[in-house]
Amino acid sequence: DAREDAWLAELKSIDPAAIAAAPLRATYAIVRQTLESDVAKRVCHDELWPVSQMTGWQVNDGYLVTIQPVGTDDARRDALARWGTLPKYLDTEIANLREGIKQGYTAPKLAVRIVIDQVRTLASTPLKDSPFDSPAIRDRTPEFQKQFNALVVEQINPAAKRYADFLEKEYLPA
């Protein structure tokens, strides 16, 4: 919040009429509108109820993993590091959702039910058919395949199951 506030204050100190290039004026307007919207939306506490069947982690990450760069030592290392953080992220989401429950912020039940189905499907899909196996399919380095598949089977899928269990058993009833 403090960073956004500082950026917005800096933008407000700029006179848009002094920006000569039209593309830069448009960029200024877009950035200012985005920051002003983010500041105004803080009252909604989106971080406390981010369960969404359209923009949730299960949709976004289910796609992003399919375009994760691989094919070099650096890219393989980055892929393992990046996707190795997903289980901790999901545990943080669970903690945020618990706080949301305490403060009275929850997502609609229909959306939660859909997300539960999405996450359970994602976590139970056979590895060879899972979007999370994409990096291992696209990079044929045996050691990387072994490491990435272990990450999916031993960490990502169990974290997804924990998330779905939490939604079903604790969040949905609340």
Side-chain angles (χ1 to χ4, degrees):
D1 290 353
R3 286 190 307 201
E4 282 182 332
D5 291 342
W7 294 330
L8 185 55
E10 188 175 346
L11 276 174
K12 286 180 176 181
S13 73
I14 298 170
D15 178 6
I19 302 172
L24 292 178
R25 280 193 310 277
T27 300
Y28 171 89
I30 292 167
V31 172
R32 184 167 172 168
Q33 178 192 359
T34 300
L35 287 170
E36 287 174 342
S37 295
D38 287 350
V39 169
K41 237 179 109 188
R42 287 180 190 161
V43 69
C44 297
H45 295 283
D46 288 343
E47 72 279 5
L48 298 178
W49 54 292
V51 181
S52 171
Q53 76 273 21
M54 299 181 60
T55 60
W57 72 267
Q58 75 284 358
V59 175
N60 293 332
D61 289 348
Y63 166 70
L64 289 174
V65 72
T66 68
I67 60 170
Q68 168 68 50
V70 289
T72 67
D73 287 343
D74 285 344
R76 286 186 283 274
R77 197 170 24 259
D78 289 348
L80 288 165
R82 179 172 294 118
W83 296 104
T85 65
L86 184 57
K88 184 175 189 248
Y89 172 81
L90 294 179
D91 290 337
T92 300
E93 285 295 283
I94 290 169
N96 289 343
L97 290 168
R98 279 191 177 117
E99 183 60 28
I101 291 169
K102 287 180 194 171
Q103 293 188 32
Y105 294 90
T106 57
K109 284 186 176 189
L110 178 58
V112 175
R113 287 184 185 107
I114 293 169
V115 170
I116 291 168
D117 288 343
Q118 288 174 327
V119 173
R120 289 213 185 281
T121 299
L122 189 60
S124 65
T125 298
L127 185 60
K128 67 180 181 58
D129 298 322
S130 172
F132 282 101
D133 196 38
S134 175
I137 290 171
R138 291 180 289 115
D139 188 309
R140 304 304 293 170
T141 306
E143 184 58 28
F144 173 73
Q145 289 178 319
K146 180 180 172 185
Q147 290 175 327
F148 204 86
N149 287 341
L151 172 64
V152 173
V153 170
E154 297 169 12
Q155 296 179 46
I156 292 174
N157 284 346
K161 288 174 186 170
R162 272 194 314 276
Y163 182 83
D165 287 344
F166 163 78
L167 288 179
E168 185 172 43
K169 295 174 182 164
E170 190 174 333
Y171 193 81
L172 193 58

